[in-house]
Amino acid sequence: MNTIPQIEPFFDEQEAKALYEYMKSGGWATEFKKTREFEERIAQFTGSKHCIVTNNGTISMTLALLAAGINAKDEILVPDMTMIATANAGKLFGAEPVFVDVEPDTLCMDLESARCALTPPTKALIYVSFNGRCGDIEAVRSFCKNHKLFFLEDAAQSFSSFYKGVHLGRFGDAGTFSFSMPKIITTGQGGAIITDNDELAAKIRRLKDFGRTRGGKDIHDTIGYNFKFTDIQAVIGIEQMKKLPQRIERKRAIYARYEQQLQPIDNIQMLPTDIRQTTPWFVDIYLDEVDALARWLNEKGIATRRIYPAVHTQQAYRISARCPNAEGAARRGLWLPSSLQLKDEEIDRIVEAIIDFSYLKTRTKR
Ligand SMILES: *Cc1c(COP(=O)(O)O)cnc(C)c1O
């Protein structure tokens, strides 16, 4: 039996053909017209005024924070349940992440816990829409406004996910996406910042291009760096954007098929998900014997991945924090195979293996 990967990239002749055409046309490879087109497509799709693409999702957050004037020693509220990049994005320039617990049914930042974590040095809040879901993000926006916090949405897992019909990433002062391999669309590495704020957008553009206002000239009024994209990636990204409607449909169908069959199983939990609004990049389940199930599936040629450790417990931070919901999700969470190429028969095979495991578990307990 073939092994089912947890995730794998999905390209076809369209990307290959577009790349060949681009190279034949004498493109300069670095960011230029294709990059602008890719940015425009993202802005249009999300409904945002500006889109700026960068090297990756992590740097996108760093740039948004820097452009917003966040400094070393400032505190940034981040959810304790996320990919560690959310915390590291500000750490890069010396800002301090403060870990906040998450809501049990969305795994997104809990507003009451955020309120408790607020101190005078708190200058920003990063909200992660975990697997495309979110809580009452409008309340989070009001909270940030009331406390004069820069509101950044780490929407890395939420490209093509919406709340009340509005694309995630658009509730914050800025929102960021990642186009790393496992995400809904990929350019190998890659990230994007969306914002409706003209000034913020202009600052981010300068920051990512050595501090200059125009390419090709070596006149620099401000300090900047090099976090530019490449047209080579943009060519791939544009082709991936063309296929986005089918990708969204397939990702949702994959999740729904798993959900329909796994929901009735007592000792497996899935989070409430409105599949008309949410496009889960991965399929996440929660159970007590997570390692035993992962081993069981692995023996049957089914690859899975443990959900993130609570960030405050990671060796890189190792600080004390009271985040029982994040710790619970870390202990019980598992990502199931979720790639776009996954076939319905394969989902059924995975579900069957999970049911067998649950059956064995309930029998041995008796
Ligand atoms: C993938 C991811 C990132 C990191 O994005 P990169 O493009 O790999 O830098 C950050 N935050 C979350 C929530 C992610 O899922």
Side-chain angles (χ1 to χ4, degrees):
M1 224 177 328
N2 62 320
T3 297
I4 304 175
Q6 195 271 322
I7 193 76
E8 61 183 322
F10 186 34
F11 302 115
D12 59 26
E13 315 80 55
Q14 265 175 264
E15 285 87 356
K17 226 174 115 228
L19 275 174
Y20 180 70
E21 292 301 326
Y22 175 75
M23 291 182 175
K24 236 177 26 178
S25 77
W28 280 22
T30 186
E31 75 165 65
F32 193 42
K33 282 187 188 160
K34 289 292 177 187
T35 301
R36 293 292 96 78
E37 183 187 337
F38 184 44
E39 288 176 333
E40 274 157 29
R41 279 177 182 267
I42 295 164
Q44 195 168 31
F45 177 71
T46 57
S48 173
K49 189 166 177 196
H50 302 280
C51 171
I52 303 116
V53 289
T54 72
N55 316 68
N56 57 55
T58 312
I59 281 300
S60 298
M61 287 188 273
T62 307
L63 288 177
L65 293 167
L66 283 173
I70 309 302
N71 288 308
K73 303 273 194 315
D74 287 346
E75 288 183 4
I76 305 174
L77 304 181
V78 300
D80 198 33
M81 174 43 58
T82 183
M83 206 236 145
I84 200 165
T86 315
N88 294 356
K91 193 81 181 166
L92 181 77
F93 59 87
E96 283 304 323
V98 174
F99 300 107
V100 177
D101 204 9
V102 293
E103 303 172 322
D105 58 343
T106 63
L107 301 186
C108 297
M109 189 185 286
D110 176 64
L111 200 46
E112 277 318 304
S113 309
R115 220 181 288 281
C116 296
L118 208 57
T119 66
T122 312
K123 292 286 149 42
L125 180 153
I126 308 182
Y127 191 86
V128 178
S129 33
F130 193 87
N131 205 9
R133 308 178 187 102
C134 73
D136 186 353
I137 198 164
E138 288 165 326
V140 178
R141 180 165 61 188
S142 308
F143 172 83
C144 290
K145 207 166 176 188
N146 292 342
H147 296 283
K148 298 199 166 47
L149 305 180
F150 177 64
F151 179 19
L152 178 60
E153 274 189 69
D154 175 0
Q157 301 177 1
S158 307
F159 195 59
S160 59
S161 285
F162 301 79
Y163 179 69
K164 294 186 180 172
V166 177
H167 201 292
L168 289 173
R170 297 208 54 227
F171 293 88
D173 295 308
T176 57
F177 302 112
S178 162
F179 307 127
S180 66
M181 187 283 276
K183 303 289 165 33
I184 305 264
I185 64 165
T186 184
T187 54
Q189 295 287 342
I193 304 149
I194 57 169
T195 181
D196 288 346
N197 183 323
D198 298 343
E199 199 189 330
L200 194 71
K203 273 192 190 154
I204 293 168
R205 284 207 184 279
R206 279 203 300 278
L207 275 171
K208 66 167 262 198
D209 187 19
F210 304 109
R212 66 185 155 202
T213 44
R214 272 179 61 198
K217 291 252 187 318
D218 288 306
I219 308 298
H220 307 266
D221 300 332
T222 55
I223 298 290
Y225 311 94
N226 180 0
F227 294 123
K228 282 185 297 222
F229 207 58
T230 66
D231 266 14
I232 296 173
Q233 291 168 287
V235 166
I236 297 171
I238 290 165
E239 294 310 313
Q240 301 251 307
M241 282 299 284
K242 290 180 188 166
K243 294 183 251 182
L244 190 55
Q246 297 93 288
R247 286 185 166 224
I248 293 172
E249 199 183 307
R250 185 60 195 148
K251 280 282 186 190
R252 289 178 176 179
I254 288 171
Y255 190 89
R257 194 176 184 93
Y258 271 116
E259 190 182 37
Q260 197 198 358
Q261 300 183 73
L262 291 178
Q263 201 72 275
I265 303 175
D266 278 345
N267 42 2
I268 306 261
Q269 274 111 46
M270 290 179 82
L271 302 182
T273 305
D274 178 359
I275 213 69
R276 289 159 309 174
Q277 297 274 312
T278 305
T279 308
W281 70 316
F282 283 178
V283 175
D284 51 339
I285 62 168
Y286 302 85
L287 71 155
D288 286 337
E289 281 104 354
V290 59
D291 282 329
L293 175 62
R295 273 196 305 275
W296 171 269
L297 293 176
N298 189 46
E299 279 163 21
K300 297 185 159 35
I302 298 163
T304 57
R305 185 170 171 163
R306 282 290 299 265
I307 281 174
Y308 318 110
V311 189
H312 81 271
T313 68
Q314 297 260 23
Q315 195 63 45
Y317 285 100
R318 276 260 171 241
I319 55 176
S320 74
R322 230 189 73 76
C323 299
N325 295 334
E327 286 171 35
R331 205 165 42 240
R332 305 179 73 240
L334 192 69
W335 305 116
L336 297 178
S338 314
S339 68
L340 284 156
Q341 301 94 313
L342 194 63
K343 297 185 191 72
D344 283 350
E345 308 86 78
E346 289 174 320
I347 298 175
D348 297 347
R349 187 181 128 198
I350 296 159
V351 167
E352 214 170 287
I354 295 172
I355 290 173
D356 283 350
F357 173 82
S358 311
Y359 180 67
L360 279 175
K361 277 291 153 202
T362 42
R363 269 214 329 199
T364 46
K365 262 187 199 147
R366 275 190 196 131

